[in-house]
Amino acid sequence: MLYMIGLGLAYSTDITVRGLEAVRKCKKVFLEGYTSILMAADKESLEQLYGKEVIIADRELVESGSEKILEDAKDDDVAFLVVGDVFGATTHTDLVIRARELGVKVECIHNVSVMNAVGACGLQLYKFGQAVSIVFFTDNWRPDSFYDKIMENRKIGLHTLLLLDIKVKEPDFKELMKGHLVYEPPRYMSVAQCCQELLEVEEKRKQGAYTPDTPCVSVSRLGAADQAFNAATLKQLSEYDAGKPLHSVIMLGHQVHDLELEYLLEYANDKEAFKAAVRKDQEKR
Amino acid sequence: MLYMIGLGLAYSTDITVRGLEAVRKCKKVFLEGYTSILMAADKESLEQLYGKEVIIADRELVESGSEKILEDAKDDDVAFLVVGDVFGATTHTDLVIRARELGVKVECIHNVSVMNAVGACGLQLYKFGQAVSIVFFTDNWRPDSFYDKIMENRKIGLHTLLLLDIKVKEPDFKELMKGHLVYEPPRYMSVAQCCQELLEVEEKRKQGAYTPDTPCVSVSRLGAADQAFNAATLKQLSEYDAGKPLHSVIMLGHQVHDLELEYLLEYANDKEAFKAAVRKDQEKR
């Protein structure tokens, strides 16, 4: 049996009781280690809780070497641990498809994902449109397809959750060219960086999907003890230090309910200005 | 401290380890008992796991009598348990606002929600638009605002998660008129009933948000051992018995990726027909 188990967002103890019971009976335990990180736990604290070794599975192992994971799961119980919930990334769906092909049984034990935990800021989950990924711009790769998706959401008044890029174990291409496999230090996109990219693309596209005054929410360390929100305009957040990673950003839609606004104002440094930004955004619809 | 703790979807052991630790140190434990149910646990099994009494909080207690919950939380630790995740319903957001007003500290311990667990059917979460609630039609109340929301999602090719109505503890109005407070037996909307309502509204509105041939997924008992999916057309699901509650429905958008389709076909009784329905739906965009 292959147990696909969500670990939640921050602590080793964010695993469910049922998930922990499953891990403890597994012969091998893999932790998917390249699409996200647990903010308040590491390999050692997980191993201590589980009472067994945790094998970090990098992209190569999961995407090209998955038969190593699945072979054991034919005869024994194997756990594949994923930060957040199990189906946050296509790579995990793909693993299940390959398990099926090999006749390996799969059981999923779910957990919270950033996709539903963002409800903690007071915005209602059913008022979110499609979630959007924001990747690190490079000198010659500045993809802006997120812009159209945000525009689609905003046109119908919906909020947009922006999921920020994470580079956990990326080969250093300059070193690779010289024949050395060296990994870059981990990088996590910040709220400010995300908002700067958004401003740059609006500057270029000029289709009014949003403006520097569009109300947004900075989300830091969602689910950890030092979780923090900041409700401000896009421009303000492009200059804001949201602290330690992980970060996300929410761009509001004009369908903001009074109860949502009341809750959000708790997180605005300048409540009157934020309220005014929301009202102004609502007028444009 | 008020601990708002998500319980997940089915089993008593779907609570997180951290959630369980918090419950066990609380003086009082309330379970919100009117917006959803745990599919494979009851008051007794929860009490056994927690080692303490669980007080079922009905709508009246949470919405009108919340000071009873919050008063204890001023000086002692109190748990407020919610099926799924903490912020699935506005009523819980409202409770946090009232806690703040009374100066009661709040800590949230998240869990999976149907909103992210639906990823288990193979559809990608970032391809979902706004989620929509479908309520029981009555003789003189047949609200169809869901239709516009589905149309908004479908126009831009996104999937729609339909959350089906639950009536857990509703007063019987006929008895109430006679002066007796009697509760109706619990009712859970089925996949078939939801799809019949959808067909009725398309019949009336005729704006082509969807057709009887639009591909959908029936979701039963998501997160429980007898979880099941069925990929079929809206018309087929309007006649389908999806078994024991709880149910949800997903209506597909035209942005179906090949990997999503491959995964879904596993759940189609007639794979060729389902594939054809998806292709036909994609042509209309």
Side-chain angles (χ1 to χ4, degrees):
Chain A
M1 173 81 87
L2 176 68
Y3 287 97
M4 307 272 292
I5 303 174
L7 294 188
L9 302 173
Y11 302 93
S12 59
T13 51
D14 282 342
I15 192 171
T16 64
V17 173
R18 191 156 69 94
L20 182 59
E21 286 168 358
V23 170
R24 286 190 172 155
K25 71 177 188 186
C26 281
K27 198 178 163 195
K28 275 196 181 171
V29 179
F30 295 93
L31 168 64
E32 187 271 86
Y34 59 95
T35 63
S36 194
I37 57 156
L38 274 179
M39 287 178 287
D42 56 18
K43 188 174 182 292
E44 287 65 39
S45 59
L46 294 180
E47 287 178 336
Q48 202 178 345
L49 179 66
Y50 305 159
K52 54 186 66 188
E53 190 200 356
V54 170
I55 304 158
I56 306 287
D58 59 15
R59 188 182 297 273
E60 206 190 321
L61 177 60
V62 178
E63 297 187 356
S64 317
S66 64
E67 62 279 5
K68 281 185 199 150
I69 298 171
L70 295 173
E71 215 157 273
D72 289 310
K74 272 189 189 170
D75 304 313
D76 292 303
D77 289 329
V78 171
F80 185 79
L81 310 179
V82 179
V83 174
D85 193 22
V86 174
F87 292 104
T90 41
T91 170
H92 309 143
T93 314
D94 201 49
L95 185 64
V96 176
I97 289 180
R98 281 174 287 154
R100 279 181 188 166
E101 287 166 357
L102 293 172
V104 172
K105 280 193 183 172
V106 178
E107 183 173 331
C108 292
I109 301 180
H110 292 282
N111 211 316
V112 65
S113 151
V114 59
M115 310 276 278
N116 62 303
V118 285
C121 77
L123 293 170
Q124 296 299 321
L125 294 177
Y126 60 86
K127 288 205 183 154
F128 279 78
Q130 57 198 316
V132 168
S133 293
I134 308 292
V135 301
F136 283 114
F137 281 178
T138 66
D139 291 345
N140 38 31
W141 195 61
R142 307 175 94 73
D144 62 3
S145 60
F146 66 76
Y147 185 85
D148 302 296
K149 292 178 182 177
I150 295 175
M151 187 142 64
E152 286 171 344
N153 287 342
R154 296 251 310 149
K155 265 190 185 163
I156 51 180
L158 299 176
H159 312 315
T160 307
L161 172 63
L162 308 173
L163 300 166
L164 310 194
D165 205 357
I166 287 176
K167 301 273 188 207
V168 177
K169 197 181 169 193
E170 299 289 320
D172 181 326
F173 280 107
K174 279 182 194 157
E175 291 292 329
L176 208 58
M177 301 284 274
K178 292 185 241 163
H180 309 143
L181 181 57
V182 177
Y183 294 101
E184 292 182 0
R187 286 194 302 153
Y188 309 100
M189 188 184 285
S190 68
V191 165
Q193 198 165 0
C194 163
C195 293
Q196 286 158 21
E197 290 194 3
L198 262 66
L199 287 172
E200 175 186 319
V201 172
E202 172 57 45
E203 187 75 15
K204 189 177 79 182
R205 299 274 296 260
K206 291 190 170 56
Q207 292 167 268
Y210 47 82
T211 77
D213 296 330
T214 300
C216 295
V217 182
S218 155
V219 179
S220 351
R221 299 184 63 75
L222 186 64
D226 49 355
Q227 163 183 301
F229 302 111
N230 184 9
T233 66
L234 178 60
K235 174 72 181 160
Q236 286 166 339
L237 292 185
S238 75
E239 294 155 358
Y240 173 65
D241 178 0
K244 285 198 293 177
L246 303 173
H247 297 174
S248 309
V249 173
I250 302 162
M251 181 174 280
L252 269 63
H254 64 69
Q255 281 191 37
V256 187
H257 187 275
D258 286 345
L259 190 70
E260 291 183 304
L261 184 55
E262 184 185 345
Y263 201 106
L264 267 187
L265 284 179
E266 178 82 14
Y267 306 118
N269 287 327
D270 186 338
K271 296 185 202 313
E272 283 312 309
F274 186 74
K275 209 174 194 173
V278 169
R279 296 300 176 216
K280 188 176 145 199
D281 192 51
Q282 289 178 320
E283 279 165 21
K284 283 194 199 155
R285 67 170 180 252
Chain B
M1 173 82 86
L2 176 68
Y3 287 97
M4 306 273 292
I5 303 172
L7 294 189
L9 301 172
Y11 302 93
S12 58
T13 51
D14 282 342
I15 192 170
T16 64
V17 173
R18 191 157 67 96
L20 182 59
E21 286 168 358
V23 170
R24 284 190 173 155
K25 71 177 188 186
C26 281
K27 199 179 162 195
K28 276 195 181 171
V29 179
F30 295 92
L31 168 64
E32 188 271 86
Y34 58 95
T35 64
S36 193
I37 56 157
L38 275 179
M39 287 178 288
D42 54 19
K43 187 174 183 293
E44 287 65 40
S45 60
L46 294 180
E47 287 179 338
Q48 203 179 344
L49 178 66
Y50 304 160
K52 55 184 66 188
E53 191 200 357
V54 170
I55 304 158
I56 306 287
D58 60 15
R59 187 182 298 274
E60 206 192 320
L61 177 61
V62 178
E63 297 188 355
S64 317
S66 64
E67 63 279 3
K68 280 184 200 152
I69 299 170
L70 296 173
E71 215 158 275
D72 289 311
K74 271 188 188 171
D75 304 312
D76 292 302
D77 289 330
V78 171
F80 185 79
L81 310 179
V82 179
V83 174
D85 193 22
V86 175
F87 291 105
T90 40
T91 170
H92 310 142
T93 315
D94 201 48
L95 185 64
V96 176
I97 290 180
R98 280 174 288 153
R100 278 182 188 165
E101 287 166 357
L102 293 172
V104 173
K105 279 193 183 172
V106 178
E107 183 173 330
C108 292
I109 301 179
H110 292 282
N111 211 316
V112 63
S113 151
V114 59
M115 311 276 279
N116 64 301
V118 286
C121 76
L123 293 170
Q124 296 299 321
L125 292 177
Y126 60 86
K127 288 204 183 154
F128 279 78
Q130 58 198 317
V132 167
S133 294
I134 308 292
V135 301
F136 283 114
F137 281 179
T138 65
D139 291 345
N140 39 31
W141 194 60
R142 307 174 92 75
D144 63 2
S145 60
F146 66 76
Y147 186 85
D148 303 295
K149 293 179 182 177
I150 295 175
M151 186 143 65
E152 286 172 344
N153 287 343
R154 296 250 310 148
K155 266 190 185 162
I156 52 180
L158 300 175
H159 312 316
T160 307
L161 171 63
L162 307 174
L163 301 166
L164 310 194
D165 205 357
I166 286 176
K167 299 275 186 205
V168 178
K169 197 183 169 191
E170 299 289 321
D172 181 327
F173 280 107
K174 280 181 194 159
E175 289 294 329
L176 208 58
M177 300 285 274
K178 292 186 240 162
H180 309 143
L181 181 57
V182 177
Y183 294 102
E184 293 181 0
R187 287 194 302 154
Y188 309 100
M189 188 184 284
S190 69
V191 166
Q193 196 165 1
C194 163
C195 293
Q196 287 156 22
E197 290 194 2
L198 261 66
L199 288 172
E200 176 186 318
V201 171
E202 172 58 43
E203 187 75 15
K204 190 177 79 183
R205 300 272 298 257
K206 291 189 170 55
Q207 292 168 268
Y210 46 83
T211 76
D213 297 329
T214 299
C216 296
V217 183
S218 155
V219 179
S220 349
R221 298 183 64 75
L222 185 64
D226 48 356
Q227 164 184 303
F229 302 112
N230 184 10
T233 66
L234 179 59
K235 175 72 181 157
Q236 285 166 339
L237 291 185
S238 75
E239 295 156 357
Y240 172 65
D241 178 1
K244 284 198 293 176
L246 303 173
H247 296 174
S248 309
V249 174
I250 301 162
M251 180 173 279
L252 269 64
H254 63 70
Q255 283 193 35
V256 188
H257 188 273
D258 285 346
L259 190 70
E260 291 183 305
L261 184 55
E262 184 185 346
Y263 200 106
L264 266 188
L265 284 180
E266 177 83 11
Y267 306 119
N269 287 328
D270 186 340
K271 296 185 202 312
E272 283 312 308
F274 187 74
K275 209 175 193 171
V278 168
R279 295 299 177 220
K280 190 175 143 199
D281 192 52
Q282 289 179 319
E283 280 166 18
K284 284 196 198 154
R285 69 169 177 252

